[in-house]
Amino acid sequence: MSETSKAQTAIDTLVNQIDRDIASYLEACVHCGECAEACHFYEATHDPKYTPTYKLFPLVKAYKKHKAPLRWITQIFGAPDEITEEELRDWEELVYDSCTMCGRCTLVCPMGIDIAGTIRKVREGYAAADIVPEGLAQARANVERTSSPMGVTARALLKQVEHQEEDTGLKIPVDVEGADYLALLSSHEIMASPEIIGAYAKIFDRAGVSWTLSTEAYEATNVGVQIGSGPLARQLVQRVVDEAERLGVKYVISPECGHAYGAIRWAGPNLIGRSFKFEVLHILELLDKLRAEGRIPPGERDTRKMTLHDPCQIVRRGGLLKEPRRLLDDACSNFVEMKGAGVTNYCCGGGGGVSANQRAEDLMIGAFGKKLEQIDDLGNIDAVVVPCANCRGVFEDGLFELDRDEIEVVSLGQLVADTLADDPKTAK
Amino acid sequence: MTFLEFTEGPMFYFAAALFVVAGLWRLVGIVRLGKKPDLAPARGSAATGFLKGNLRHFFPRGLFAQRTWMHLLGGYGFHLGLFVLFFFAAPHIAFIEKFTGLSWPALPRWGFIIAAEIAFAGLIVLWVRRFSDPVMRLISDWDDHVGTWLTFIVMLTGCLALQEAHDSLRAIHMLSVNIWLIYFPFSRLMHAFTFFLSRGATGANYGRKGMNP
């Protein structure tokens, strides 16, 4: 793609992204700068360029030039220039490295502007013009080869399933037609914490849930959403939909992965242009439901002092605020909440593809420092429960880099499995 | 026709008509861009979210208020002060009554002075921050400054005209009001109306998810 055509492709794509909501956001911004005060990248660096609304500049310019109402009058007093490839490249770091699309800035914005959602639209322009960070480009290449951003193959999944069957003594169903639930996983879970597969097996066995994994659709991570490529996001959702409908499942379970949940639950039907023939549940929703039905009775609670990290795409932008707390109350006897817990919680610093972008590592660790301050304010925390595999990876990296790896990082699904009553009759 | 008659007559009619037509044009232009229907099954109501989003963002969140107290002080002071001045200053009520026949009780003089001082203080705080705060300096453009200055001049000339001692002071106030009305629909001052769409869009999206952040 030539330089001119790259810029033109980006402009065309950006202009196509602008609908009523995006236009109202761009029109309502009064440049008050409040959003900076909610952004962990700005707070960690105090560099004004990390002000969230400033990151939208390429889209603002395209809007003013091509789509703004009354532009035929305002342009009499000076038409804005077209965005150039140089400007696009200047903003690339702001669009990809310093925004996790966590949406915290929306909370402080007096105009209620969804900057995170708008950054997602800006990324569409960048992805179409192929101006993307190397780490995300590599993840995209891996997805095209294997469907997994980390290059995890079905063969690797089956190997991990085999290990978990040995560890738990339970049969783990794979490619079972007619099962009620199809469980998705993230690459990070399959490779770094495969015990979660065994944890699911233990929980579902206790609950009597009919479930399956699939060798065709095992990956929940949607790099298309992270990089900002609608066509790729659509392809990845379609793969899951085709397999879920072929197997005839009633539910697809999104794993402990933030953006994967948003991709399949909230964006999925819009990406493929039709409703699903199944329901999407987050694993925390399902566990909460099974717990409420008395099908997975809690046993002895973990006594460590624990707190909960709210993954942005599951809680603030996903709507699952109470489910993880109810599960934790049953699983932990010493659970404490951070200041700002719930919708105003800090992001881990590595969502929205930032953790896959090696160039952004220092910035990510800096932003994670804000998260760590929140945890440290509680004093002597033994473990942080993190119901998102990507966040867990960021926590582990951040705690190691900041020499704080005495704090344990725990999956909520794993904690629920570990604290199940041994004998349902003796459950509390 | 005197200069005052001109600014309160033909020029005001022109400015007010432009304000209404161009303002509506801009709002309708935004709404007409449309939005694809959301196919994901909702967990809550988008309509309720639209309203909740609009109300929720009128109030600051405690967690952020410590970091943004100066802006909150300036923002609330200016907007509330201006609202009171606009709707409850006796000359404004008389002016509106002239066109609509509608009237309501006016502020006493001391109330006007307090409201004006709060509004001026707020606007000055916001403007000083705009060029002194590194974040605001980076993101501000000429439109932000022109809008601030025009509003300041309207308020200042309004105070000068309060005594109604000289027609020329009232005429200068009306002239500045007319310029402000003409500038308004083409500028960021339109946030006075677009905020409703913006907050509502976010509120509706979150409302469908069963959230109200």
Coordinates of all heavy atoms in Angstrom, one line a residue, chain A residues 58-88:
Chain A
P58 N -7.1 11.9 15.2 CA -7.3 11.5 13.8 C -8.7 11.4 13.4 O -9.1 11.8 12.3 CB -6.6 10.1 13.7 CG -5.6 10.1 14.8 CD -6.3 10.8 15.9
L59 N -9.6 10.9 14.3 CA -11.0 10.8 14.0 C -11.7 12.1 14.0 O -12.5 12.4 13.2 CB -11.6 9.8 15.0 CG -13.1 9.5 14.8 CD1 -13.3 8.7 13.5 CD2 -13.7 8.7 16.0
V60 N -11.3 13.0 15.0 CA -11.8 14.3 15.0 C -11.6 15.1 13.7 O -12.4 15.7 13.1 CB -11.2 15.1 16.2 CG1 -11.7 16.6 16.2 CG2 -11.6 14.5 17.5
K61 N -10.3 14.9 13.2 CA -10.0 15.6 12.0 C -10.8 15.1 10.8 O -11.3 15.9 10.0 CB -8.4 15.4 11.7 CG -7.8 16.6 11.0 CD -6.3 16.5 11.0 CE -5.8 17.6 10.1 NZ -4.4 17.6 9.9
A62 N -10.9 13.8 10.7 CA -11.7 13.2 9.6 C -13.2 13.6 9.7 O -13.8 13.9 8.7 CB -11.6 11.7 9.7
Y63 N -13.7 13.7 10.9 CA -15.1 14.1 11.2 C -15.3 15.6 10.7 O -16.2 15.9 10.0 CB -15.4 14.0 12.6 CG -16.8 14.5 13.0 CD1 -17.9 13.7 12.6 CD2 -17.0 15.6 13.7 CE1 -19.2 14.2 12.9 CE2 -18.2 16.1 14.1 CZ -19.3 15.4 13.7 OH -20.6 15.8 14.0
K64 N -14.4 16.4 11.1 CA -14.6 17.9 10.8 C -14.5 18.1 9.3 O -15.2 18.9 8.7 CB -13.5 18.7 11.5 CG -13.8 19.0 12.9 CD -12.7 19.9 13.5 CE -13.0 20.3 15.0 NZ -11.9 20.9 15.6
K65 N -13.6 17.3 8.7 CA -13.4 17.5 7.2 C -14.6 16.9 6.4 O -15.0 17.4 5.4 CB -12.1 16.8 6.8 CG -11.7 16.8 5.4 CD -11.0 18.1 5.0 CE -10.7 18.1 3.5 NZ -10.2 19.4 3.1
H66 N -15.1 15.7 6.8 CA -16.0 15.0 5.9 C -17.4 14.8 6.4 O -18.2 14.4 5.7 CB -15.4 13.6 5.7 CG -14.1 13.6 4.9 ND1 -14.0 13.9 3.6 CD2 -12.8 13.5 5.4 CE1 -12.7 13.9 3.2 NE2 -12.0 13.7 4.3
K67 N -17.6 15.0 7.7 CA -18.9 14.5 8.2 C -19.7 15.5 9.1 O -20.9 15.3 9.3 CB -18.7 13.2 9.0 CG -19.9 12.3 9.0 CD -19.7 11.0 8.1 CE -20.9 10.1 8.2 NZ -20.7 8.9 7.5
A68 N -19.0 16.5 9.7 CA -19.7 17.4 10.6 C -20.8 18.2 10.0 O -20.6 18.7 8.9 CB -18.6 18.3 11.2
P69 N -21.9 18.2 10.6 CA -23.0 19.1 10.1 C -22.5 20.6 10.1 O -21.7 20.9 10.9 CB -24.1 18.9 11.1 CG -23.8 17.7 11.9 CD -22.3 17.6 11.9
L70 N -23.0 21.3 9.1 CA -22.6 22.7 8.9 C -21.2 22.9 8.5 O -20.7 24.1 8.5 CB -22.9 23.5 10.2 CG -24.3 23.6 10.8 CD1 -24.4 24.3 12.1 CD2 -25.2 24.3 9.8
R71 N -20.5 21.9 8.1 CA -19.1 22.0 7.7 C -19.0 22.9 6.4 O -18.0 23.5 6.2 CB -18.4 20.7 7.5 CG -18.9 19.8 6.4 CD -18.3 18.5 6.3 NE -18.9 17.7 5.3 CZ -20.0 17.1 5.3 NH1 -20.8 17.2 6.3 NH2 -20.5 16.4 4.2
W72 N -20.1 22.9 5.6 CA -20.0 23.7 4.4 C -20.0 25.2 4.7 O -19.6 26.0 3.9 CB -21.2 23.3 3.5 CG -22.5 23.3 4.2 CD1 -23.0 22.3 5.0 CD2 -23.5 24.3 4.3 NE1 -24.3 22.6 5.5 CE2 -24.6 23.9 5.1 CE3 -23.6 25.6 3.7 CZ2 -25.7 24.6 5.3 CZ3 -24.8 26.4 4.0 CH2 -25.8 25.9 4.8
I73 N -20.4 25.5 6.0 CA -20.3 27.0 6.4 C -19.0 27.2 7.1 O -18.2 28.1 6.8 CB -21.5 27.4 7.3 CG1 -22.8 27.4 6.5 CG2 -21.3 28.7 7.9 CD1 -24.0 27.8 7.3
T74 N -18.7 26.3 8.1 CA -17.5 26.5 8.9 C -16.2 26.5 8.0 O -15.2 27.1 8.3 CB -17.4 25.5 10.0 OG1 -17.6 24.2 9.5 CG2 -18.5 25.7 11.1
Q75 N -16.3 25.6 6.9 CA -15.1 25.5 6.1 C -14.8 26.7 5.2 O -13.8 26.9 4.6 CB -15.2 24.2 5.3 CG -15.0 23.0 6.2 CD -15.0 21.7 5.5 OE1 -15.0 21.6 4.2 NE2 -15.0 20.6 6.2
I76 N -15.8 27.6 5.2 CA -15.6 28.9 4.5 C -14.5 29.7 5.2 O -13.6 30.4 4.6 CB -16.9 29.8 4.5 CG1 -17.9 29.1 3.6 CG2 -16.6 31.2 4.0 CD1 -19.3 29.8 3.8
F77 N -14.4 29.5 6.5 CA -13.4 30.2 7.3 C -12.1 29.4 7.5 O -11.3 29.6 8.3 CB -14.0 30.5 8.7 CG -15.2 31.4 8.6 CD1 -16.5 30.8 8.7 CD2 -15.1 32.7 8.4 CE1 -17.6 31.5 8.6 CE2 -16.3 33.5 8.3 CZ -17.5 32.9 8.4
G78 N -12.0 28.3 6.7 CA -10.7 27.5 6.7 C -11.1 26.1 6.8 O -11.5 25.6 7.9
A79 N -10.9 25.3 5.7 CA -11.2 23.9 5.7 C -10.0 23.2 6.4 O -8.8 23.5 6.2 CB -11.3 23.4 4.3
P80 N -10.3 22.2 7.3 CA -9.2 21.5 7.9 C -8.5 20.6 6.9 O -9.1 20.2 5.9 CB -10.0 20.6 9.0 CG -11.4 20.6 8.5 CD -11.6 21.8 7.8
D81 N -7.2 20.4 7.1 CA -6.4 19.6 6.2 C -6.9 18.1 6.4 O -7.4 17.7 7.4 CB -4.9 19.7 6.5 CG -4.4 21.1 6.4 OD1 -5.0 21.8 5.6 OD2 -3.5 21.4 7.2
E82 N -6.6 17.3 5.3 CA -6.7 15.9 5.4 C -5.7 15.4 6.4 O -4.6 15.9 6.5 CB -6.5 15.2 4.1 CG -7.7 15.3 3.1 CD -8.9 14.4 3.5 OE1 -9.0 14.0 4.7 OE2 -9.7 14.2 2.6
I83 N -6.0 14.3 7.1 CA -5.0 13.7 8.0 C -4.0 13.0 7.1 O -4.3 12.4 6.1 CB -5.7 12.7 9.0 CG1 -4.7 12.2 10.0 CG2 -6.3 11.5 8.3 CD1 -5.1 12.5 11.4
T84 N -2.7 13.1 7.5 CA -1.7 12.5 6.7 C -1.2 11.2 7.4 O -1.4 11.0 8.5 CB -0.5 13.5 6.6 OG1 0.0 13.7 8.0 CG2 -0.9 14.8 6.0
E85 N -0.4 10.5 6.6 CA 0.1 9.2 7.2 C 1.1 9.6 8.3 O 1.2 8.8 9.3 CB 0.9 8.4 6.1 CG 1.3 7.1 6.7 CD 2.0 6.2 5.7 OE1 2.0 6.5 4.5 OE2 2.7 5.2 6.2
E86 N 1.8 10.7 8.2 CA 2.7 11.1 9.2 C 2.0 11.3 10.5 O 2.4 10.9 11.6 CB 3.5 12.3 8.8 CG 4.7 12.6 9.6 CD 5.3 14.0 9.2 OE1 5.0 14.5 8.2 OE2 6.2 14.4 10.0
E87 N 0.9 12.0 10.4 CA 0.1 12.3 11.6 C -0.5 11.0 12.2 O -0.5 10.7 13.4 CB -1.1 13.2 11.3 CG -0.7 14.7 11.2 CD -1.8 15.6 10.7 OE1 -2.6 15.1 9.8 OE2 -2.0 16.7 11.2
L88 N -0.9 10.1 11.3 CA -1.4 8.8 11.8 C -0.4 8.0 12.5 O -0.6 7.5 13.6 CB -1.9 7.9 10.6 CG -3.2 8.4 9.9 CD1 -3.4 7.6 8.6 CD2 -4.4 8.1 10.8

